[in-house]
Structures are given as structure tokens and as C-alpha cells.
Amino acid sequence: MAYDDSRFRGEPGFREEPDFRSGGVPEDAPTLGVSNQSVYTPGSYPVSPAYGAPSESTLGLSASRRRTPTAQQLGDVFDDPEHGEPGRDRLAVHALWEMVLLLAAAALLYLLHDASPAALRGTELQSLLLSGAELGLVAMAVGLTLRAGAPNLAVGPIAFAAALFFASNSDRGLAMTAAITGLISVGVGVVIAVLVVAFHVPGWAASFGVALALVSWIADQRDQKIVTGAYDPHHHALWWALAVLVVAVGGAALGLIRSVRRSVGRFRPVHDPADRRGGGAATVTGLSIAGSALLAAMAGVLIALDERSVAAADGSASIGGLTLTGLALGAALAGGTSAYGRRGGLFGTILAVAVITLLLRYTAAEGWSLPPFALGAGAIALGLVVTRLVETFGRPRITPDDAGEDSWTPPSITAQAEPDNDWSPPSSHTGSWPSSPGGGADGGWGVEERWGTR
């Protein structure tokens, strides 16, 4: 007796079922969420929005989610992808502090004029300008390496060693001797740079070791060295001071450009200070250290020409080298250059040099005893406080974009989550899907095989 015998049609409890063997699907059969507009082909599964088909917004192609990055965001990416802080450093703290330094320099200038008017005229003024130029060159050298994140503490001994070498060989021609002095000093800077960037060690440690070696060499020079050339820089003292001013402000102005600022300061420690910062950071830092040695050599040549003689027998040159390092470091820090690297102002260093130079000359005019070592120590202490102010108020201001509330990220294709394979028929159709005696989740009809697995 066939299952579909017509004798049973119309009897109570009889239910007519569709024949799935022919592949036909009745119009009133459950569609598993597939719309009537979907086209079914054997071996494929119809795509329906009910199953979460990928859309443009899911693939990240929606215009609302493909917001064009701003120039600032792109600049942040290319400045320092791993550790760069988003945004531009704030310079208001530098401007305010430089106003304080300017007022201090003006007050000291007035006090010096009141205490000794002759100090601002004639040869006294020329000597004052040359002293400021010499200290300014060494302070620029320290400031350059501070911005690079590898402070060179050997600049003072390099300057006095250069002065001794230049004075002892000045009979061979001033220009040639000055050039050779500069090359030797750059060689010393290269030695420090190799120690710092090749082994990735702190600049202050490597440079201080070299400074002690130079102090030892200076102490072995027994005779007083006399400059035999005819050039006297006192006749061009104003031009020397202006040249140092232009170089200092010009270099600081370049440091205001964000790409230059971050390139020079990329050796600045981040996270683990022992982590290497890459070849670009090492190259820029090495050039900065070598450049600082050249600036120190220029200061040494100017010291020799100014003093006309350099004595090392009494140890004054050795002490003077370390003292000069302390004064220059104090001037750079007190001028607003951060001890951590990268950050600095525009006129701060040169104004701090002016304050220190005027203060030394004013205390001498008043007959007070102010050891340069003590002044250097005070300037460094003040500079550390300024560093804290610069790091606190000079950081880029955090914006909603930087905080991630509306930040731009490159569009990416998001993998579509697999739909749940454990589909169960709606509760409303429970009564119309009987299980076959053979068992099985699909009632023995082979629905999984016919419609394909997902």
C-alpha cells in the first residue's frame, strides 16, 4: 500500500507532504529567511540580507567611514609612527619664559651700567661681547646635543683643548691651524658619537668619559701657549656676537619646524630607554654630537685669540673646561631646552647666555665673589625646573581626534562572521515538520545535502 494512496486522502489525521526528491519547493514551504526574489541554483546558496550579506559599510567602503585623514594626522604618522605624540608642541611656555629671561637680562644690564658705566664702553664692552660669544658657542653645542637626546658634556674640555692646540701651533698660520683644530675636534666628536649610537648608551656617560680623558691631556701640557698671529678679534667683537646670535636663533627657528624638531629629537628615550631608535635617529644624533664638537672648537679658537695665551700648568685650563661645560649646560637648560631632548624655544639659550655673562661681569664690578662653578650649579638647578615646566605645558594638547573618539584609521575589509549552522525551524512551524523514523536532525530528507552546507 503506497503512502500516497488516495484512499487515505480526507481521512482525519492525514497530512499531505511535498515531495523533495524532485527538487521542487512548494510556495508555502518555509524559506529559511530567503526572500522570494532570491534565485536558487544547484550547488549554490542564495544570498539574502537576512543572513548578513556583506555590504559596503561592512567592507569599510562606506563614505561615512572612509573619512579623509587630515594633514596633521598624516604628519603624525610620518613623524614617528611608533612613539610620536599626536599634535604640535605648544610654544607658549617658551615664549613666557623667554620674556622672563629678557627682563632679567635688561635688569642686569641696567645694574651693570649703574655699577660701572665703563663696563659698557670701549675695550670693556668688546671683552664683554667676546665672552658672551664664547659662552654662546659652547651653549649652542650643548643645546644641539640636548635636543638630539644625547647631551655632550665634553664640550668644555674640547674647547680648552682646542685653545691649547691652536695657540701652540698658531705660528703655522691662523687659518690653517684653525681648520686643523676643527678637524681634530670633529674627530673627538665622532669618537663620542660612535660610543653613543653604536652601543646605544646615554650621551652624558660617554661624553663625560671623553671629557676626563681630555682633562688628563690638558694637565700634561706644562708650558704656557702663546698665540703668535696678528689677528685681534676685539676689533670685530660686535660682529662675533651678532654671528653667534644669528646662528643660535637660526638653528632654533629650524627646530620650530615639526618635522625637523622630531627628526633631531628622535633619540629621545621612550618606554625602555635601552631600546634602539633606528638608523635615522642614530645618524642624526651622531651628526649632532660631531657638530657640537665643531662648535666647541670654534669657541676654543676664539678663547685663544681673545686671551692671546692659554696656560695649563696651574690647572686653570682643566678647571676652566669643566666650568665652561657647567655654565653652558646651565644656559641651555635655563633657556628652555628640555633635558629629555627635542623640545626648546627660540631665543631662550642666547638670553640665558646674556644673563650669565652680565651676572658674572656685574658681580665682578660690585666686588662680590661669585665662583663660576656655583653659578653653573645654580643655572643647572634652575634649568631642571624649567625642563619640568616645558614638559608639562609644552606637550601637544590632546584633542578628541587624538583620544580616539573620531580618529581616522585606514579602511580594511572586515571578515564576515560565519552564520550559525545550527538552524532550527521557527516555533510557528514546529507542528508541520515531523521527524522520520530514521532519525536525524533534518528528518531524513537530506535538506543539508540538497541545499549545501554553509
Side-chain angles (χ1 to χ4, degrees), residues 413-430:
I413 297 179
T414 306
Q416 178 69 21
E418 290 290 336
D420 189 5
N421 288 330
D422 298 331
W423 178 85
S424 59
S427 59
S428 59
H429 296 280
T430 302

Side-chain angles (χ1 to χ4, degrees), residues 93 241 254:
V93 61
L254 287 177

Side-chain angles (χ1 to χ4, degrees), residues 150-218:
N152 182 5
L153 301 185
V155 288
I158 288 176
F160 270 88
L164 281 170
F165 180 85
F166 177 81
S168 62
N169 296 278
S170 58
D171 56 339
R172 302 178 183 180
L174 295 183
M176 180 62 69
T177 305
I180 295 175
T181 303
L183 289 176
I184 295 176
S185 300
V186 170
V188 175
V190 169
V191 171
I192 300 174
V194 169
L195 291 174
V196 172
V197 303
F199 297 96
H200 196 84
V201 294
W204 60 266
S207 61
F208 189 70
V210 174
L212 294 180
L214 290 174
V215 167
S216 177
W217 179 84
I218 292 173

Side-chain angles (χ1 to χ4, degrees), residues 82-83 200 266-278:
E82 292 186 25
H83 307 291
H200 196 84
R266 189 159 292 186
F267 207 75
R268 171 186 168 113
V270 291
H271 302 310
D272 186 355
D275 287 343
R276 295 184 181 273
R277 299 289 285 128

